[in-house]
Amino acid sequence: MDAAVKGASPKAGAIKDSLGCSLTELSKDQALDAGHMVFRRKAASGRHRAQVATQAQDRGVLIGISLADGHRRSLREGRAAHDCLFDHGDIYLRDFEESYKAEMDGSFDFFLIELMPEFWRDAEKVAGVSPDVGLARQLAKRDMTLYHLANAVLPLLEDPELLDPILVEQMATTIGAHLLKRHGDRRSEATGFDRGLGSVMVRKAKEMLVSTDEEDGTSIATIAEALNMSRSHFFRAFRESTGISPYQWLLKQRIDNAQRLLRTTNLPLSEIALHCGFSDQSHFTRIFSRDVGVTPKVWRQRVR
């Protein structure tokens, strides 16, 4: 689950997990590592209102299955807004590589499946489909088969003594096969892009990525549509052509630009962060340090 907090806004300094959930507000917080996927259960009782936002990251795909009725969520993508009501059996599916914004209203109980990037390497073995087949984005779509499969895993999350590696692997294989068969996106096979993008399309994709601005509505979905492709296929075709994901490529451009400004200007780090597309100085420092090995301040001192 991405986040849910009591009150009109999250508590200042609230501790959040890797999915953005406020740990202090969850009535259930369980996880089970199944190899190429992670099963989670996130739940909160009572009336909850929250505004949440997560940064794009190279992490795979997240599937959420509602175990209860009556959870409302409003999603924003550029200028578009989607208002959804989740009842039991309704699912959503989103790529971590896209930034995420949502307003949430009401208690929730979600079973979550995080598909690691490594999942796609096993796609053919898991479901007998090409690894190039991704998953089509879903939003409040009913899938009772997935709902029942999720309920079959819940006892394993509740009682660690029931854990059996073979059983967990079998459940992961069954769920993975269902996802690929039911929600697989095979447009790549029909459009002939399964081996990557041509040079003209790569150039167009890069130009649109560099100009990505949430204020003007540009997003991964917009780029994929401009290339007449699905989101999931665009991710894989871009990676096939460039060796890295769209998000990784864009992050590299931002860091390169930041290094140029650090080297040639006296702009404060906060201004460089915003100029290069980072949400704030803290986000800039964290990403820069992870990729370069030192903080922007130390790097600037060294190159000068």
Side-chain angles (χ1 to χ4, degrees), residues 24 48 69 80 87 92 171 246 262 268 277:
T24 59
H48 291 257
D69 295 333
D87 289 330
Y92 69 84
M171 291 302 301
L262 288 169

Side-chain angles (χ1 to χ4, degrees), residues 193 196-204 241:
F193 292 133
L197 303 173
S199 58
V200 174
M201 297 180 74
V202 169
R203 184 168 64 251
K204 182 176 181 179
S241 300

Side-chain angles (χ1 to χ4, degrees), residues 2 96 114 157 217 219 239 256 267-268:
D2 304 291
F96 277 113
E114 183 176 346
L157 291 170
S219 66
R239 190 192 296 270
D256 288 347
L267 289 173

Side-chain angles (χ1 to χ4, degrees), residues 212-233:
T212 295
D213 184 346
E214 292 181 357
E215 294 300 322
D216 67 13
T218 305
S219 66
I220 292 293
T222 304
I223 298 172
E225 184 178 357
L227 299 179
N228 193 29
M229 305 170 71
S230 68
R231 299 173 184 221
S232 58
H233 178 225

Side-chain angles (χ1 to χ4, degrees), residues 258-292:
Q259 288 178 317
R260 178 182 61 81
L261 294 175
L262 288 169
R263 185 174 57 250
T264 62
T265 75
N266 292 317
L267 289 173
L269 298 182
S270 58
E271 290 188 25
I272 292 177
L274 296 178
H275 180 80
C276 295
F278 297 96
S279 58
D280 53 36
Q281 183 177 335
S282 176
H283 180 224
F284 169 46
T285 298
R286 184 172 66 254
I287 298 299
F288 189 98
S289 301
R290 185 194 67 188
D291 286 21
V292 180

